[in-house]
Amino acid sequence: MKEFHRPEALYSTFPRKGGADPEATHYCPGCGHGIIHKLLGEVIDELGVGERTVLISPVGCSVFAYYYFNAGNIQAAHGRAPAVATGVKRARPDSIVISYQGDGDLAAIGGNNILQAANRGENMTVVFVNNAIYGMTGGQLAPTSPLGMKTTTTPEGREFEEYGSPMRVAELLAPLDGVSLSSRHALINAGEIIKTKKALKKAIKYQMEGKGFSLVEILSQCPTGWKVDPVESLHWVEEHMLKVFPLGTYKDEPRQRPTPPHPADYEPALIDRVIHAGTSANGRGKAHEPVRPVTLPLGIRAAGFGGQGILLLGEMLAKAGLAEGLSVTWLPSYGPEMRGGTANCSVVISDTPVGNPIVDQPNLLLALNRPSLERFEPMMQPGGVVIYDSSLIDVGPTRSDLTAIAIPATKIADELGTAKVANVVMLGACMELLAFPSQSERDPLLQSISRDEKMLEANRLALKGGMEAARAAAAPAR
Amino acid sequence: MSQVDSPTHRGPFRKVFHPYHPMSQPTSSRSEPRSRSHAPQFMKGNEAVVHGALLAGCRCFFGYPITPASEIAHTAAELFPEVGGVFLQAESEIAAIQMVYGASSAGVRCMTASSSPGISLKQEGISYAAGSELPMVIVDITRGGPGLGNIAPEQSDYFQMVKGGGHGNYRLPVLAPASAQEMCDFTVDAFTLADRYRTPVVVLADGLIGQMKEPVSLPDAVREIPDKPWSVRGDGATRENLICSIFLDPPVLEDHVRHLHDKEMEIEAKETRWELEGHPDPELVLVSYGVVSRIVRGALDEALAKGMRVAALRPQTLWPFPTAALAHATRDAKAVLCVELSTGQMVEDVRLGVGGAIPVHFLGRCGGVLPTVTEIGEEMESVLAQAEVLS
Ligand SMILES: Cc1ncc(C[n+]2csc(CCOP(=O)(O)OP(=O)(O)O)c2C)c(N)n1
Ligand code: SF4
């Protein structure tokens, strides 16, 4: 075997490890992790990416990979390295991100994390160390343990009936469109070690070129977990693993990824432009002294069938109040109330800051169907106003302490060619009643519903129709 | 904290919890400076969170859909890419928080948002982030539980957010907004606190505050984001850095926990926030947060109009809890009434604050049922009547 020089990407002594011998690794004699570290370190050196490299250490025997790699190091939770790597890579697309993982970490607890990172085609490199066992925790079964293998949790050997077959990760991921490179290698002789190194180099090169997700699976000796000596462990790989995990390249189809954003570049002026678009500085002027037959605060309930535009009606009323310089809240029906295809919302319009946004006792009710009228009429404050769609509700409110205003909203809307604008007819009726907002604020409100010229014109007519109907309906009652 | 630091062996943790001296004024409730030069925009609390985040310089959002928090993800998906930021829908909440872990390690401001069941899944990552001292913002729009529960508002995540939730010795600042404006403002503040103390910060709201639309005055975008020399950016300057939460040697881990705890004590001393309204010399003090404080305000107004001596304390930080402010507010009171959307979670902190001096009453609704102003009003009358009998 060729003598390896210690690459620059690996520290020469390991002060993070501490202890008596700061030059020895924590790995057992004959462990595959040490060889893989060396190969990876050499590749990082040869590609000249030492300064850019961010290594994610997993949970497992290589949890302390950061003792050894002279790189930016992040230690991740068990199985989550691909998600952490995703976060790093998305935040710093120019970094070279390597997710280093064992088989318990990657194939068991982190199964979905690796699958989804691969499927997204994250531009990262995964070094997958398959030693067919959980080394760190004392030789338990891994998804990759061969059938018949005795582990501390399968003392009689792994049985297919109980645990299925060993999971072949390189083959499993290869078919995903997001995967550029997926191959399997071993450390059993100099030739295979060289192939392993070449694969690692190709994987990182792909990442440097923005060519997507690579997984390099490496069959790695664990003499301690397998209870054999280091020399025998090489035979163990040949005898027990090669049949189950054939070496080879399962996919090599690099895919150019689009240029990613660089979120670390922060431009406050751009944020201001986007977020404050459409709001002029220092508020808008108040127009006139409004005349209001209903006293503030207004507690409004708007209610009807889903699809009648009830929530929008409420929101427009709130916006009308806002345009008038008043305090407003809008609360949609939500949670247990939202059943059976009905919709309702609470709107509060007040000349003092709104406390309670939930309207339990409305003083203005907008009812667009009969069940809504029946439900909310009993909750009304004495002296409240009910505006109802008289084209859908034949009998108005029965309480004598309420003012009823019948608006044939759906009929008016139908005459305009679309029943959809019945809610805007009701909005017009309310505006007439409340005497706000001012004329100049009305069109911006309608434009916030739709800027489509045809729709806007229909809404203008609907609003006008509602105002006229309210004038007609309210006149004799006053 | 580097693994190489030699342990200092500062000995055991020792504390004495003195009773709060009711006459000692609590240090005033702190809040960050705000500029308001823009006309208000009418938006949902959930939308206000995203606007606040972007204006605070948040650059990456990772999330997973869940009602009633989904508008946060929808708004983020629309706005983050528009300003050169990153939005990514993760495969799960477990993954989303780990992506935030990665992005925060890489030195950018980042966040995630979810609702109760999703927050349960995030607890793994939150514990790791606390251990690794990673600044990030986690928004919880609480819904009904346990289990799938429902999508209606509750305040039943108090325990899991305020008391820990994940494993280990850590506490996170928890901000509790009660309006769409505060959803924006507290999100901005959460990023400030996160970087100031190198810690995850929680914004804890409920479905109703998230869904409600109110006018929001948005601030200008922050001009400077603090430098993060400890981060791992994939460049020469940060090559020696390590982000981790593993400290094998017991004295070293104890020192690390002590370091976290020292920060917690500083946060308690400097960042406690609350609001106190009502009668200056109350017989009865109401305590509530978030959406409930809005309903309580209605009840308070009615009570004050009737001439009752009532005040309402609203914690704006749930940790640190405004214990001293509560002790001071209740110095001459006969009783406390705590109102929550739970079977009684914050009330445990209220009891600690009152220290057994006067009775603490609790009124709770859950499952999405909200207490009404009338219900709270009647409870106040009944609590005061009981206090009369006792005195
Ligand atoms: C959430 C969680 N569950 C369990 C563990 C315990 N644990 C530590 S390492 C490990 C197995 C690692 O096995 P593998 O990924 O195969 O790596 P190896 O040790 O063989 O290199 C387990 C289960 C943990 N740290 N965290
Ligand atoms: S237990 Fe196995 S994998 Fe872990 S260090 Fe020892 S030989 Fe390597």
Side-chain angles (χ1 to χ4, degrees):
Chain A
M1 233 170 33
K2 183 181 150 203
E3 186 61 33
F4 292 104
H5 295 285
R6 186 158 280 173
E8 207 214 313
L10 293 177
Y11 291 120
S12 48
T13 59
F14 314 128
R16 277 181 181 146
K17 173 172 153 275
D21 187 355
E23 284 178 50
T25 73
H26 75 288
Y27 296 113
C28 307
C31 173
H33 279 301
I35 304 170
I36 297 168
H37 282 18
K38 261 188 193 158
L39 297 177
L40 189 56
E42 287 175 356
V43 166
I44 293 170
D45 274 11
E46 287 165 23
L47 293 171
V49 291
E51 298 214 323
R52 290 163 63 192
T53 297
V54 176
L55 186 93
I56 318 290
S57 307
V59 169
C61 282
S62 48
V63 63
F64 299 120
Y66 63 81
Y67 287 171
Y68 312 113
F69 280 91
N70 177 9
N73 279 289
I74 299 173
Q75 201 291 312
H78 198 14
R80 311 294 173 230
V84 174
T86 298
V88 176
K89 190 70 187 185
R90 297 278 177 143
R92 303 276 177 187
D94 294 334
S95 60
I96 297 298
V97 181
I98 300 169
S99 180
Y100 188 106
Q101 301 182 258
D103 43 16
D105 193 79
L106 180 141
I109 193 166
N112 194 32
N113 300 115
I114 189 67
L115 193 68
Q116 303 288 340
N119 195 50
R120 286 192 301 268
E122 292 293 340
N123 190 31
M124 60 162 73
T125 306
V126 178
V127 179
F128 173 38
V129 181
N130 177 357
N131 59 13
I133 202 161
Y134 285 18
M136 179 82 159
T137 38
Q140 296 89 352
L141 176 85
T144 44
S145 303
L147 288 178
M149 182 176 178
K150 288 189 175 164
T151 73
T152 46
T153 48
T154 52
E156 301 299 322
R158 177 179 187 156
E159 283 184 41
F160 172 77
E161 286 70 19
E162 193 95 30
Y163 287 108
S165 309
M167 190 181 277
R168 298 181 183 92
V169 172
E171 290 91 325
L172 193 70
L173 295 189
L176 298 177
D177 291 343
V179 173
S180 295
L181 176 68
S182 179
S183 59
R184 181 181 296 116
H185 308 274
L187 308 169
I188 42 178
N189 56 48
E192 290 305 328
I193 290 178
I194 289 170
K195 282 190 197 161
T196 306
K197 183 175 163 183
K198 277 191 175 155
L200 289 171
K201 196 163 184 175
K202 184 187 260 183
I204 295 180
K205 229 167 147 234
Y206 282 175
Q207 185 179 167
M208 292 166 69
E209 293 164 359
K211 287 187 178 150
F213 180 95
S214 302
L215 174 118
V216 179
E217 175 173 341
I218 304 166
L219 306 183
S220 171
Q221 314 59 294
C222 175
T224 307
W226 301 345
K227 300 193 176 68
V228 295
D229 69 36
V231 179
E232 275 177 72
S233 74
L234 293 176
H235 302 299
W236 201 96
V237 174
E238 287 176 300
E239 199 175 315
H240 298 285
M241 292 186 82
L242 288 186
K243 274 197 305 285
V244 194
F245 300 112
L247 306 185
T249 300
Y250 294 94
K251 185 162 187 190
D252 187 358
E253 293 171 22
R255 245 186 205 227
Q256 195 62 47
R257 309 288 303 171
T259 316
H262 284 66
D265 302 338
Y266 175 57
E267 238 191 289
L270 170 65
I271 314 258
D272 279 335
R273 237 183 358 260
V274 171
I275 300 288
H276 299 300
T279 55
S280 55
N282 286 322
R284 48 191 125 180
K286 267 193 68 179
H288 60 114
E289 278 309 309
V291 193
R292 298 188 193 93
V294 184
T295 49
L296 295 178
L298 275 171
I300 307 171
R301 279 277 185 161
F305 293 123
Q308 278 183 312
I310 301 295
L311 301 187
L312 185 68
L313 168 58
E315 191 179 337
M316 288 301 122
L317 272 173
K319 281 188 169 178
L322 187 60
E324 194 66 8
L326 298 166
S327 294
V328 297
T329 58
W330 169 88
L331 184 65
S333 52
Y334 154 71
E337 286 193 32
M338 222 167 81
R339 291 205 192 99
T342 67
N344 82 80
C345 60
S346 292
V347 175
V348 181
I349 303 180
S350 173
D351 43 7
T352 56
V354 181
N356 182 10
I358 301 150
V359 180
D360 295 325
Q361 297 174 331
N363 53 11
L364 176 57
L365 172 65
L366 310 175
L368 275 86
N369 67 7
R370 171 171 274 287
S372 299
L373 181 62
E374 282 166 1
R375 174 168 169 205
F376 292 106
E377 186 187 339
M379 293 163 55
M380 296 284 297
Q381 280 178 31
V385 177
V386 179
I387 307 181
Y388 66 99
D389 186 343
S390 54
S391 33
L392 300 180
I393 307 172
D394 41 8
V395 185
T398 51
R399 268 170 61 176
S400 58
D401 60 340
L402 301 176
T403 305
I405 301 178
I407 304 288
T410 302
K411 186 161 161 274
I412 296 174
D414 277 337
E415 283 163 14
L416 292 171
T418 164
K420 260 169 58 185
V421 298
N423 58 345
V424 181
V425 176
M426 291 295 271
L427 179 67
C430 288
M431 286 183 177
E432 179 63 24
L433 179 80
L434 303 173
F436 70 79
S438 62
Q439 180 108 40
S440 61
E441 297 288 358
R442 284 178 207 150
D443 225 50
L445 268 186
L446 293 182
Q447 283 175 27
S448 75
I449 301 177
S450 170
R451 286 183 179 278
D452 173 72
E453 218 21 78
K454 247 181 84 189
M455 201 57 223
L456 187 59
E457 198 45 40
N459 280 335
R460 284 184 185 129
L461 293 173
L463 196 80
K464 191 157 160 271
M467 297 180 84
E468 283 165 3
R471 219 171 298 142
R478 280 189 201 161
Chain B
M1 206 189 202
S2 148
Q3 299 266 316
V4 199
D5 288 348
S6 63
T8 51
H9 303 289
R10 276 164 59 193
F13 289 75
R14 287 202 181 83
K15 303 183 197 185
V16 184
F17 296 95
H18 292 288
Y20 281 90
H21 198 285
M23 290 320 284
S24 67
Q25 285 276 359
T27 49
S28 75
S29 176
R30 172 175 183 157
S31 72
E32 305 296 330
R34 305 192 198 289
S35 73
R36 299 220 187 284
S37 57
H38 299 275
Q41 295 190 42
F42 196 55
M43 61 174 75
K44 284 192 176 186
N46 281 344
E47 295 162 345
V49 162
V50 179
H51 286 75
L54 285 170
L55 293 165
C58 178
R59 305 297 291 149
C60 296
F61 182 103
F62 303 96
Y64 187 82
I66 185 166
T67 312
S70 288
E71 293 87 357
I72 300 183
H74 300 168
T75 314
E78 192 185 317
L79 293 179
F80 272 70
E82 216 177 316
V83 296
V86 166
F87 168 86
L88 189 66
Q89 178 171 325
E91 62 267 30
S92 64
E93 291 86 351
I94 293 173
I97 188 77
Q98 298 294 350
M99 291 175 185
V100 176
Y101 186 99
S104 175
S105 299
V108 305
R109 284 191 165 177
C110 50
M111 72 179 296
T112 185
S114 187
S115 178
S116 314
I119 297 292
S120 300
L121 287 185
K122 286 186 199 291
Q123 293 292 5
E124 174 192 55
I126 294 173
S127 167
Y128 278 75
S132 300
E133 298 182 83
L134 290 175
M136 60 177 66
V137 173
I138 302 144
V139 181
D140 179 6
I141 308 296
T142 311
R143 62 187 243 179
L148 260 188
N150 65 20
I151 60 170
E154 264 197 8
Q155 295 180 320
S156 46
D157 283 1
Y158 188 93
F159 282 163
Q160 77 155 331
M161 282 324 227
V162 178
K163 301 291 173 185
H167 59 285
N169 283 295
Y170 71 90
R171 279 168 189 275
L172 306 181
V174 179
L175 302 173
S179 63
Q181 182 68 55
E182 284 187 348
M183 288 289 262
C184 168
D185 293 345
F186 286 13
T187 303
V188 175
D189 295 351
F191 281 100
T192 311
L193 292 175
D195 279 343
R196 184 179 291 154
Y197 297 99
R198 252 193 88 176
T199 176
V201 176
V202 175
V203 176
L204 181 64
D206 57 80
L208 203 145
I209 293 291
Q211 296 296 322
M212 182 169 62
K213 280 196 184 188
E214 288 184 302
V216 179
S217 299
L218 298 170
D220 285 327
V222 297
R223 297 292 120 174
E224 294 282 338
I225 292 179
D227 187 37
K228 301 179 182 183
W230 49 264
S231 64
V232 172
R233 302 191 297 248
D235 61 15
T238 62
R239 186 175 184 176
E240 291 296 318
N241 289 348
L242 165 66
I243 305 292
C244 81
S245 61
I246 183 169
F247 301 86
L248 270 195
D249 193 12
V252 176
L253 180 56
E254 187 183 55
D255 260 14
H256 175 63
V257 171
R258 191 188 304 280
H259 161 68
L260 298 180
H261 188 254
D262 287 347
K263 287 201 298 186
E264 289 164 12
M265 291 197 296
E266 190 183 343
I267 294 169
E268 282 188 359
K270 293 185 180 164
E271 308 293 353
T272 309
R273 298 188 195 178
W274 68 92
E275 200 178 66
L276 182 65
E277 297 185 303
H279 200 282
D281 186 19
E283 287 185 301
L284 173 66
V285 176
L286 296 158
V287 188
S288 62
Y289 70 99
V291 62
V292 179
S293 69
R294 300 286 294 259
I295 308 172
V296 161
R297 200 179 301 167
L300 177 72
D301 287 346
E302 289 190 0
L304 293 173
K306 284 189 210 159
M308 291 168 70
R309 281 167 49 201
V310 186
L313 179 79
R314 170 168 81 97
Q316 294 173 320
T317 51
L318 299 175
W319 186 83
F321 192 80
T323 312
L326 177 64
H328 186 71
T330 53
R331 64 199 177 278
D332 294 322
K334 293 181 181 150
V336 174
L337 173 59
C338 177
V339 190
E340 292 178 60
L341 300 184
S342 77
T343 53
Q345 299 197 5
M346 179 178 72
V347 70
E348 295 192 358
D349 283 326
V350 173
R351 289 176 62 192
L352 285 174
V354 171
I358 47 173
V360 173
H361 295 252
F362 175 76
L363 179 72
R365 301 297 313 238
C366 40
V369 182
L370 301 166
T372 62
V373 168
T374 316
E375 201 171 4
I376 296 170
E378 285 167 5
E379 192 69 13
M380 284 156 66
E381 307 263 4
S382 140
V383 166
L384 277 176
Q386 290 176 53
E388 286 307 325
V389 171
L390 288 176
S391 64

